[in-house]
Amino acid sequence: MSDIPSANILYIEDDLGLAELVRIKLKREGYHVVHAESGCQGMTLLRDRNFDAVLIDFYLPDMNGLEVLKAIQALPRKTTCIMISGIDDMQLVVDAIKQGAEDFVLKDSEGAYLELLPTTLGKVLLKQRLIAEKAAAELEKNNNEAFYRSLIEHTHVVAWEYLPNAGRFSYVSSQAEKLTGHSREEWTSDGFWQASLHPEDYTKVSAFCASKTHIQDEQGLEFRLLKKDGNEIWLRQIVSVVETSAEHCTVLRGFLIDITESKQAMEKQRLAELVFDTIHEGIMITDTHNRIEVVNPAFTKITGYSFAEVRGQNPRIFGSGLQDANFYSALWQSLNEHGHWEGELWNRHKNGEMYAQSTSISYVHDEVGNIKRHIAVFGDVTEKKQAEEKIHYQANYDQLTALPNRQLFQDRLHSAVASAKRNHTQLALLFIDLDRFKEVNDSAGHEAGDRLLMQVAKRLNECIRETDTLARLGGDEFIVILNNLSSNHDIENIARSMLEVLERPFSLADGIDAAISASIGIAIYPADGEDGALLIRHADAAMYRVKETGRNGFEFFTAEMNREAGKRQQFKSAFKDSLEKGEFKVFFQPVWRLCDGKIMGVEALSRWQHPEWGMVMPDDFIPVAEESGFIHDLSLFVVKEVANQIQVWDEQAFNEISVAINLSPTQFRRLDDWLTQMHQVLSDHAISPHRIKLEITETALMGDTLKLMETLSHVQASGIGISLDDFETGFSSLSRISGMPLNFIKIDKSFVSQIGQQGQCNVIEAIISMSHSMDCQVIAEGIETEEQREYLKQLGCDFGQGFLCSRPVPAEDLLTLLQKGFLFD
Ligand code: C2E
Ligand code: CA
Ligand code: CA
């Protein structure tokens, strides 16, 4: 029965025969038996070797069984002993058991004990084994408990026990305090859990705790807890034990693991990915061999290539060829020396277009300093570059004509003068101002004006060489720098060709043409000035002279022009004062009916009686008044003077006389304003609008100025007559002005003066008959001779005006003429 095979048994027996019998018997049962003949021999063996059990015969030659037993008990190693004795030794046996023997076997004469021995031995050994196992188990149990306790107390994990019904922890391990700063007492107090949860996670955790089926979730629940210091800690809760009674969950046990670091790492990672994916800069990472490993979405947006298309490629595939080998070797040198390169690259988009990218490339090294990767971060700066170019362009070029502007012109002039000084050469400045441009602009509109300027710029450009500069200073002013001149003759040729190209008509819009001309003033370095500013001033003065002497021409600067320019400046500053001081006067020139010579009306003409300069004529000051805006005040003054005079004449019973007032084209910009003020003056003086005519020039009527037409129609409807002044067929044709709100057409004196010359008669005749067909009456200006008067009368011209009858005169003198009544017969 022995399940302890090969158990070592020591048999102490002096009867050799019996010993042999027992040995054979036990061997058969699987025991290994060592025999000792005496107590001493047995003890010696026991000291040396380890036996599972000792069989002790009570009677031994040297000592009895009890003495042996005592000796064995004294040994450090405990050995199981079985006493063997005869029946008559029973009391001894009982003593032996008391002394520590495990069992006894009675030696009978029939030898039955030989059969009993193995059973007893087996029983004893089994018991011994069970005890040993129990002891081992006990030991292990003790060890385990200590192990787990120390494990729990020393691990970073918090072990806990939670009572769902009470809503609080009943136990937490010491780590809870270390992690959170809250003491274990706090942890296990009522309401702690709820109060220290992160507000955002409260619902999640509460739901979990309230749930009836607490699944032992391997994943666990993640949430944040507020530490004592107010910071948050990320915890993962793992429920590993759930105890339930009936349907309630009574106890939960588990662990809390601090996952703050991994959460933060994950957050960092998430942010890094977010940045990688959403940043506007392209990111490209290449490996040691500069093969593309990763690119981000912005990369694709900027380059046009998807990741799949560029994976494993060398970035040189983006090269535009715009930067040469030197550029790239400098790039690599900087990378190798500093681990970094920054600059602008021109690359080629997948669609073939070039684009500029601002790029920063860095090396990433591994732990031992080898280059692991290159990281290139880049942004498309094409727009920025274009914007810079645009800003530069806007600062230096005129938007409308694409010519250099004043700024760039100044720079060029500066260097041209410097170079002329160095090389002892001449240069010329041509100041070009378009004639009557303001009138076109005011009447035909800004768009038409712009179109005209663009065409002018184009034509002027054709007249100069590439080394020269044509710039637009603003408005209708252009300026040219002519370098390296050999003679004045060259300049003249260029100026003349400019006037010529401008002579061709300009088409401004469908059906709207304009004819303009230009006035060109010329100043030469070094004769007319040694610096740029002076040259400009002198060229401007020369230009002004051209304006004064009939426009459409050019003039070289002379010293006298300087004085003219000064005079204009003086005019401008004197105007306002002079008007207040009453230095401006209104003269009147009669207009008579050609058929019977009766004076029907007058034209009001301004004069400036200056205390120092004497009588200044309108041809001198009107252009300056127009330029400075003074014309508005001046013409209101004229209206007031006219109103006063009409009252005077009415008193003398000349209540039929009408008065014509001149309107400058520049006044059309503020016409509504002026008309309101004029009507006010008339009504203040109780004067009927029928007594007033307004004289406007042809240019005012040019273009598709619907609003102006409307305004003039209103003027006309109020009873005021409208005259078209200075009519010459050269500028606009009669058919063009048909349909305009006009009552009178005034034939220009240049026409009248040509009466008698060949061809003119037909033109005047045509004007008169066409005007009449448009229901306009005709006034001939500048009649100086009887011949002219007679001729116009014959043609059926309605009215006449001119020195033949009278020069413009002060109001007092006019009275005398009016009193005469009929001047001609
Ligand atoms: P305009 O409107 O053509 O006026 C007629 C001009 O011709 C006047 O010159 C007048 O003196 C002159 N004139 C009249 N009859 C004859 C003649 O038989 N032979 C010659 N050679 N000339 C004659 P004035 O007064 O010097 O005025 C010159 C221009 O100044 C006017 O030309 C008019 O355009 C402008 N002007 C005069 N006063 C005013 C004003 O108050 N406002 C505005 N906007 N312009 C004015
Ligand atoms: Ca014996
Ligand atoms: Ca006039």
Side-chain angles (χ1 to χ4, degrees):
M1 81 151 277
S2 172
D3 57 345
I4 309 153
S6 75
N8 282 325
I9 309 295
L10 175 65
Y11 185 23
I12 309 173
E13 174 63 75
D14 54 336
D15 181 338
L16 295 180
L18 189 59
E20 185 55 22
L21 268 178
V22 168
R23 198 188 63 79
I24 291 165
K25 178 72 186 166
L26 288 181
K27 191 179 174 192
R28 223 177 278 143
E29 297 290 334
Y31 295 101
H32 176 69
V33 180
V34 175
H35 176 228
E37 286 179 35
S38 65
C40 283
Q41 196 189 357
M43 286 314 292
T44 311
L45 280 165
L46 269 169
R47 277 184 206 102
D48 287 353
R49 294 166 59 180
N50 205 3
F51 294 96
D52 297 305
V54 187
L55 299 174
I56 310 163
D57 184 39
F58 192 79
Y59 290 105
L60 293 169
D62 50 346
M63 51 210 297
N64 71 30
L66 276 180
E67 287 164 336
V68 175
L69 195 61
K70 213 181 252 173
I72 290 174
Q73 301 293 356
L75 288 176
R77 201 184 304 125
K78 213 174 169 273
T79 313
T80 305
C81 299
I82 298 172
M83 196 62 74
I84 300 171
S85 72
I87 292 166
D88 45 348
D89 301 323
M90 248 343 256
Q91 186 51 49
L92 289 170
V93 168
V94 173
D95 290 345
I97 299 275
K98 279 184 187 159
Q99 289 274 340
E102 208 50 58
D103 210 342
F104 70 94
V105 178
L106 279 177
K107 226 191 244 179
D108 60 339
S109 49
E110 289 85 38
Y113 87 95
L114 278 178
E115 294 305 317
L116 197 64
L117 196 59
T119 317
T120 309
L121 193 59
K123 229 165 55 191
V124 167
L125 283 174
L126 181 65
K127 186 180 168 198
Q128 176 198 346
R129 206 186 77 194
L130 286 176
I131 289 168
E133 275 177 6
K134 197 177 160 213
E138 190 74 10
L139 185 72
E140 194 183 72
K141 189 183 159 222
N142 288 342
N143 282 348
N144 276 354
E145 243 182 62
F147 170 75
Y148 286 123
R149 198 170 304 118
S150 87
L151 193 68
I152 280 170
E153 296 304 328
H154 291 99
T155 171
H156 295 300
V157 169
V158 178
W160 53 264
E161 184 178 76
Y162 183 74
L163 308 174
N165 292 336
R168 65 175 184 84
F169 287 99
S170 48
Y171 162 81
V172 287
S173 59
S174 59
Q175 189 64 19
E177 196 170 320
K178 282 185 210 144
L179 282 186
T180 64
H182 299 293
S183 70
R184 287 163 102 163
E185 287 70 41
E186 285 172 307
W187 268 89
T188 49
S189 63
D190 282 337
F192 164 80
W193 177 235
Q194 292 80 353
S196 42
L197 271 174
H198 192 286
E200 281 171 29
D201 296 341
Y202 185 83
T203 328
K204 177 165 78 172
V205 180
S206 305
F208 177 83
C209 291
S211 126
K212 289 213 167 70
T213 51
H214 287 287
I215 307 148
Q216 290 172 20
D217 182 6
E218 297 256 306
Q219 281 292 185
L221 180 72
E222 291 179 356
F223 57 88
R224 280 159 293 176
L225 199 84
L226 298 174
K227 300 206 279 187
K228 190 111 186 169
D229 62 12
N231 290 325
E232 56 183 53
I233 178 172
W234 269 100
L235 295 172
R236 177 181 293 141
Q237 172 176 270
I238 293 167
V239 178
S240 42
V241 179
V242 181
E243 282 179 15
T244 47
S245 74
E247 71 242 34
H248 286 299
C249 163
T250 51
V251 178
L252 291 176
R253 291 193 199 99
F255 301 100
L256 286 171
I257 303 166
D258 179 4
I259 53 166
T260 312
E261 262 180 36
S262 87
K263 272 280 174 192
Q264 282 167 349
M266 266 165 61
E267 182 62 14
K268 218 169 132 185
Q269 167 88 12
R270 198 185 64 81
L271 276 180
E273 277 168 18
L274 192 74
V275 168
F276 189 78
D277 286 342
T278 56
I279 195 170
H280 286 289
E281 274 72 32
I283 300 176
M284 174 179 75
I285 301 175
T286 59
D287 63 13
T288 332
H289 305 290
N290 205 21
R291 287 176 307 220
I292 296 174
E293 268 187 333
V294 189
V295 298
N296 70 342
F299 169 96
T300 302
K301 216 173 148 212
I302 296 172
T303 65
Y305 289 101
S306 71
F307 176 42
E309 288 168 319
V310 298
R311 179 187 216 140
Q313 300 260 36
N314 185 300
R316 78 167 68 93
I317 58 165
F318 309 118
S320 63
L322 266 191
Q323 278 130 341
D324 58 9
N326 288 341
F327 175 86
Y328 284 101
S329 69
L331 183 157
W332 284 107
Q333 190 181 338
S334 159
L335 255 180
N336 291 329
E337 276 172 21
H338 314 293
H340 189 78
W341 180 85
E342 240 181 67
E344 259 166 30
L345 282 174
W346 278 96
N347 276 350
R348 200 178 282 282
H349 189 274
K350 190 182 166 191
N351 68 12
E353 271 172 32
M354 309 242 240
Y355 65 92
Q357 61 174 53
S358 79
T359 308
S360 134
I361 305 177
S362 308
Y363 277 154
V364 180
H365 297 94
D366 63 12
E367 307 76 46
V368 286
N370 292 325
I371 292 160
K372 232 172 119 187
R373 290 195 169 89
H374 313 88
I375 299 184
V377 180
F378 59 92
D380 187 343
V381 289
T382 315
E383 272 175 27
K384 191 180 132 224
K385 292 221 99 175
Q386 283 168 349
E388 278 168 9
E389 269 165 35
K390 199 170 158 199
I391 287 168
H392 176 262
Y393 185 85
Q394 280 172 346
N396 289 289
Y397 288 86
D398 170 45
Q399 301 302 296
L400 183 66
T401 59
L403 292 179
N405 64 7
R406 185 181 290 271
Q407 168 75 36
L408 184 56
F409 161 74
Q410 295 282 10
D411 291 351
R412 298 245 177 113
L413 180 61
H414 188 80
S415 31
V417 168
S419 133
K421 196 170 273 174
R422 256 195 326 273
N423 304 320
H424 306 287
T425 52
Q426 290 195 5
L427 72 82
L429 216 56
L430 274 62
F431 201 113
I432 305 162
D433 191 290
L434 303 185
D435 301 329
R436 287 193 282 217
F437 172 75
K438 278 198 183 68
E439 295 159 31
V440 175
N441 207 38
D442 290 340
S443 56
H446 286 292
E447 270 179 43
D450 285 353
R451 235 165 279 143
L452 176 62
L453 289 171
M454 285 191 274
Q455 293 173 42
V456 166
K458 223 173 128 205
R459 292 190 196 176
L460 290 179
N461 230 344
E462 291 163 9
C463 306
I464 58 168
R465 302 160 301 177
E466 239 171 63
T467 47
D468 301 327
T469 294
L470 167 66
R472 178 173 171 228
L473 296 185
D476 59 344
E477 288 177 352
F478 295 84
I479 198 156
V480 175
I481 308 168
L482 299 177
N483 295 301
N484 298 320
L485 288 164
S486 47
S487 71
N488 280 13
H489 188 65
D490 288 350
I491 307 171
E492 271 177 41
N493 279 344
I494 291 173
R496 211 166 274 129
S497 73
M498 285 178 165
L499 295 175
E500 261 168 40
V501 294
L502 296 183
E503 256 167 30
R504 283 184 274 135
F506 292 87
S507 137
L508 305 187
D510 258 2
I512 302 177
D513 285 354
I516 54 147
S517 54
S519 302
I520 305 178
I522 305 165
I524 294 166
Y525 172 89
D528 299 333
E530 298 219 355
D531 69 72
L534 199 59
L535 284 171
I536 297 173
R537 236 181 19 247
H538 287 170
D540 182 45
M543 182 279 292
Y544 213 93
R545 165 52 62 87
V546 182
K547 291 262 180 217
E548 278 181 334
T549 53
R551 303 163 170 162
N552 193 18
F554 63 88
E555 284 277 357
F556 285 87
F557 170 77
T558 61
E560 200 252 330
M561 292 172 183
N562 231 0
R563 288 190 288 276
E564 285 285 320
K567 195 180 82 187
R568 280 196 303 278
Q569 206 45 53
Q570 282 178 314
F571 277 2
K572 281 184 195 171
S573 38
F575 278 147
K576 207 165 169 279
D577 247 18
S578 292
L579 187 66
E580 276 164 16
K581 285 185 191 153
E583 290 170 15
F584 282 94
K585 300 272 181 306
V586 177
F587 276 30
F588 298 94
Q589 186 179 34
V591 176
W592 75 91
R593 194 156 60 197
L594 275 168
C595 60
D596 58 5
K598 186 173 193 286
I599 297 177
M600 303 302 292
V602 291
E603 177 175 3
L605 295 159
S606 305
R607 297 289 182 266
W608 185 4
Q609 187 63 54
H610 193 271
E612 285 171 40
W613 309 325
M615 175 81 89
V616 186
M617 295 302 282
D619 280 336
D620 282 339
F621 67 80
I622 290 288
V624 189
E626 287 175 345
E627 206 177 288
S628 67
F630 173 68
I631 192 74
H632 188 86
D633 291 346
L634 179 65
S635 78
L636 256 188
F637 161 78
V638 172
V639 170
K640 284 176 197 161
E641 281 298 294
V642 165
N644 287 335
Q645 281 313 313
I646 289 177
Q647 280 184 330
V648 173
W649 295 328
D650 281 359
E651 282 162 18
Q652 307 278 328
F654 298 115
N655 41 20
E656 295 280 287
I657 298 296
S658 67
V659 186
I661 296 170
N662 289 286
L663 270 187
S664 279
T666 51
Q667 286 182 262
F668 281 79
R669 268 175 278 179
R670 292 170 61 188
L671 191 58
D672 287 344
D673 232 18
W674 187 85
L675 286 171
T676 313
Q677 287 170 302
M678 178 199 67
H679 278 294
Q680 189 58 52
V681 173
L682 294 185
S683 70
D684 286 350
H685 289 77
I687 292 169
S688 158
H690 293 93
R691 303 288 291 280
I692 305 293
K693 292 175 195 163
L694 295 182
E695 296 197 356
I696 59 174
T697 48
E698 285 174 79
T699 48
L701 294 174
M702 273 187 46
D704 178 28
T705 49
L706 264 178
K707 185 166 179 298
L708 180 63
M709 290 303 115
E710 219 176 279
T711 311
L712 291 180
S713 299
H714 278 125
V715 171
Q716 211 178 29
S718 75
I720 292 175
I722 296 176
S723 298
L724 182 61
D725 209 351
D726 304 334
F727 186 76
E728 323 170 58
T729 45
F731 195 49
S732 67
S733 67
L734 261 179
S735 59
R736 278 262 312 274
I737 55 169
S738 69
M740 309 246 176
L742 295 174
N743 304 91
F744 303 94
I745 286 175
K746 290 183 86 170
I747 300 176
D748 193 64
K749 51 183 172 290
S750 62
F751 263 96
V752 175
S753 67
Q754 286 166 26
I755 287 174
Q757 290 172 19
Q758 280 235 314
Q760 286 311 309
C761 332
N762 296 341
V763 181
I764 294 178
E765 203 177 346
I767 294 174
I768 293 173
S769 62
M770 278 194 74
S771 300
H772 284 165
S773 73
M774 284 159 51
D775 274 344
C776 283
Q777 289 186 298
V778 185
I779 305 167
E781 273 189 327
I783 302 177
E784 292 183 356
T785 64
E786 268 303 330
E787 188 199 352
Q788 291 161 349
R789 182 182 73 92
E790 193 55 40
Y791 178 78
L792 290 160
K793 188 178 163 187
Q794 291 309 317
L795 285 181
C797 182
D798 303 280
F799 303 98
Q801 182 181 350
F803 293 172
L804 179 68
C805 159
S806 164
R807 290 183 173 266
V809 289
E812 313 82 82
D813 298 354
L814 186 80
L815 259 181
T816 332
L817 285 169
L818 290 180
Q819 278 151 2
K820 275 199 202 165
F822 291 88
L823 299 172
F824 307 98
D825 43 54

